Amino acid sequence: MVTIDSILLEWSYRCSDGVVDLNNPKKKAILEQVLSELGIDLNEALNSKATSLAIDNIINSELGRKYNFKKQSDKYRLGNLDKITKDQFVDIINSLYNNPSIKIYGPKDSPNTSSKYSMFEFETPNGVANIILSGGANEGEKYEQNFLGLLKSLAGTPLEDIDNEDVKKLFQSVNIDPSTLTADDIVFAGASDTKRPLSFEGPKDIGKIIADIIIKPDTYLSIKNKDGSGIYNGGIVPFITMDKEGNAVYDASKLNNNPIIKELFDDLNIDSEKIIVGINDYINDTNNNSNTYETLSNIDTNKLKNFLSSAYGYGYYYIREKDKKLFIYPILTAEDAYKLVGDVKDVRIKYANNETKTTTIKIGTESEILGSLDYIIEIRNTQGKILPLSLKIKSSK
């Protein structure tokens, strides 16, 4: 019978000094040899352990209890009984593991073994964890999967023989002859890299990052259902923290920890102290801030346009369900992103107060593509707590 003790004893025996050490490459190679002789893969064993510990950590966290996660028989699966969204799960990982780089693999996208659910890969103090979030998809994810299935089913079909007008419009828009495709040429990406850059310098090519579906080799599609108004999630506000008494305070030592957030506050003249006052109003049921919008003045609207355009980026096709039809807009260049955003007309802010812990910024725009549209920047905690605050950007008609 192979036991951990017997493996350690053999490993120690083969090390010249009798001392085992995973951080020593030569000694690690010796362990790999010992394990390979027993039919055990070291990386798989370490990954399995890190995943198990991460699942335990998530389940036992405050948010894990709130969302009713459940262990499953497959050691890589986490039961998602409340059917939270992909973005909500990413927020939980960010909260527990200090914003690690997260890679999301869609169904059947190696190394994800699931044919139905996405797998989240991220670094933990114990190694790389791979968690398959199973148990149900939200409406947006269902729409993506249904749309993917429809495209795959019509691969190889001549354009003139496609009855679905939305699919026909899509293939015409991306200038691809569906008769030249196989189902394997259309793959689910699931916005596989969650790190989308924001910049006041303007948009960047993020097609590979933002894509939900890829038509090989390099046609990237971002798919939104009718409720998919979210553009960006993330960006912790590091300089507003909690003191020992449970009140929000300003920490100047962390001002430069997230430069893009600092620049946003500076350029929009966002009053950090007023946010803190409002959060403390919410905590202590005091009434220093009003629950009304005020106009932000002296804004560099061109710089703000750069910022909003960077949230879209370019290098892909933006596809959204609208009035039971598809709205398709190619965001293939920086200029396309600028056209989509249009011109900034006004900026208003409602600070946190005793009725809400969220600070909300409304940016009114006028676009030749989308018409009159508000972009909403929410500065709030997304985990049911007060702090830390993070940034969310969405659109609203």
Side-chain angles (χ1 to χ4, degrees):
M1 177 180 178
V2 177
T3 66
I4 293 177
D5 285 342
S6 65
I7 292 172
L8 289 173
L9 183 63
E10 181 63 22
W11 183 20
S12 174
Y13 176 76
R14 297 191 192 186
C15 293
S16 59
D17 59 0
V19 178
V20 299
D21 183 1
L22 267 178
N23 294 317
N24 183 309
K26 291 183 178 180
K27 293 183 177 182
K28 183 178 179 182
I30 293 172
L31 174 60
E32 289 175 342
Q33 178 62 34
V34 171
L35 292 175
S36 68
E37 293 170 4
L38 297 170
I40 300 171
D41 183 280
L42 175 60
N43 290 326
E44 166 65 19
L46 292 174
N47 178 258
S48 175
K49 182 65 173 176
T51 300
S52 177
L53 291 171
I55 286 176
D56 285 343
N57 191 23
I58 290 169
I59 287 176
N60 293 322
S61 69
E62 181 179 343
L63 287 168
R65 293 191 295 272
K66 173 183 176 182
Y67 289 123
N68 195 26
F69 291 123
K70 184 179 180 180
K71 271 191 172 182
Q72 299 194 301
S73 56
D74 186 322
K75 59 189 175 183
Y76 290 99
R77 290 188 177 229
L78 178 61
N80 179 21
L81 303 187
D82 286 353
K83 299 183 180 180
I84 68 169
T85 67
K86 178 173 61 182
D87 287 341
Q88 284 175 305
F89 191 60
V90 166
D91 284 341
I92 292 171
I93 296 171
N94 284 335
S95 174
L96 293 176
Y97 293 100
N98 195 27
N99 295 297
S101 178
I102 305 170
K103 179 79 173 176
I104 304 176
Y105 297 93
K108 297 183 180 179
D109 182 10
S110 180
N112 184 6
T113 57
S114 173
S115 62
K116 188 175 181 181
Y117 303 113
S118 293
M119 185 177 81
F120 298 75
E121 180 181 274
F122 56 96
E123 188 73 36
T124 78
N126 303 296
V128 176
N130 295 94
I131 297 178
I132 297 171
L133 188 66
S134 61
N138 63 65
E139 292 303 314
E141 290 165 337
K142 288 178 183 177
Y143 183 76
E144 292 172 12
Q145 290 295 331
N146 290 339
F147 196 78
L148 174 69
L150 183 59
L151 292 181
K152 281 179 170 290
S153 71
L154 292 171
T157 305
L159 186 65
E160 62 271 18
D161 292 341
I162 294 177
D163 294 327
N164 188 296
E165 292 301 321
D166 282 340
V167 173
K168 183 179 289 188
K169 179 182 176 182
L170 171 62
F171 282 125
Q172 289 172 329
S173 298
V174 301
N175 196 28
I176 290 177
D177 180 357
S179 68
T180 66
L181 300 174
T182 68
D184 290 339
D185 291 324
I186 304 171
V187 298
F188 179 72
S192 60
D193 189 333
T194 63
K195 295 293 183 183
R196 187 194 305 197
L198 290 176
S199 171
F200 282 95
E201 302 302 317
K204 293 180 172 60
D205 186 346
I206 59 171
K208 290 182 180 180
I209 297 174
I210 199 65
D212 296 301
I213 294 173
I214 301 172
I215 302 177
K216 295 179 180 179
D218 56 7
T219 299
Y220 302 106
L221 312 179
S222 173
I223 312 295
K224 303 282 187 182
N225 72 339
K226 60 184 178 181
D227 298 319
S229 61
I231 300 171
Y232 175 83
N233 294 313
I236 298 296
V237 181
F239 44 82
I240 297 178
T241 62
M242 195 80 77
D243 66 14
K244 293 180 180 179
E245 284 71 42
N247 290 309
V249 294
Y250 182 79
D251 187 347
S253 69
K254 297 180 179 179
L255 183 60
N256 295 308
N257 285 14
N258 192 332
I260 193 67
I261 297 295
K262 178 183 181 298
E263 192 169 3
L264 177 68
F265 273 58
D266 289 344
D267 286 3
L268 294 187
N269 301 315
I270 300 171
D271 189 337
S272 299
E273 290 296 338
K274 204 163 183 179
I275 292 179
I276 290 168
V277 167
I279 291 173
N280 289 331
D281 277 348
Y282 185 83
I283 293 171
N284 301 311
D285 197 23
T286 51
N287 194 19
N288 294 293
N289 282 354
S290 65
N291 190 30
T292 57
Y293 282 94
E294 58 186 80
T295 299
L296 291 172
S297 56
N298 300 318
I299 305 296
D300 184 336
T301 56
N302 286 328
K303 200 171 180 181
L304 185 53
K305 182 176 179 177
N306 282 346
F307 179 79
L308 292 174
S309 299
S310 77
Y312 281 109
Y314 64 89
Y316 64 98
Y317 289 84
Y318 179 84
I319 301 168
R320 184 171 180 181
E321 183 186 24
K322 188 176 181 181
D323 300 327
K324 296 184 179 181
K325 294 183 179 181
L326 283 189
F327 168 75
I328 303 172
Y329 179 68
I331 315 181
L332 303 179
T333 66
E335 185 59 31
D336 292 332
Y338 285 125
K339 283 183 180 180
L340 190 66
V341 170
D343 296 322
V344 174
K345 296 300 183 181
D346 61 85
V347 184
R348 295 173 292 153
I349 188 168
K350 181 173 69 175
Y351 286 98
N353 54 78
N354 66 350
E355 296 183 37
T356 177
K357 58 185 177 182
T358 301
T359 293
T360 303
I361 302 162
K362 283 189 177 182
I363 304 170
T365 64
E366 187 68 36
S367 159
E368 63 178 276
I369 307 300
L370 298 175
S372 297
L373 189 72
D374 283 338
Y375 288 94
I376 311 296
I377 300 177
E378 292 182 338
I379 304 171
R380 64 183 178 90
N381 181 273
T382 59
Q383 306 298 323
K385 301 179 181 179
I386 304 296
L387 296 175
L389 302 176
S390 63
L391 205 68
K392 288 186 174 289
I393 305 175
K394 60 184 180 181
S395 62
S396 175
K397 272 289 187 182

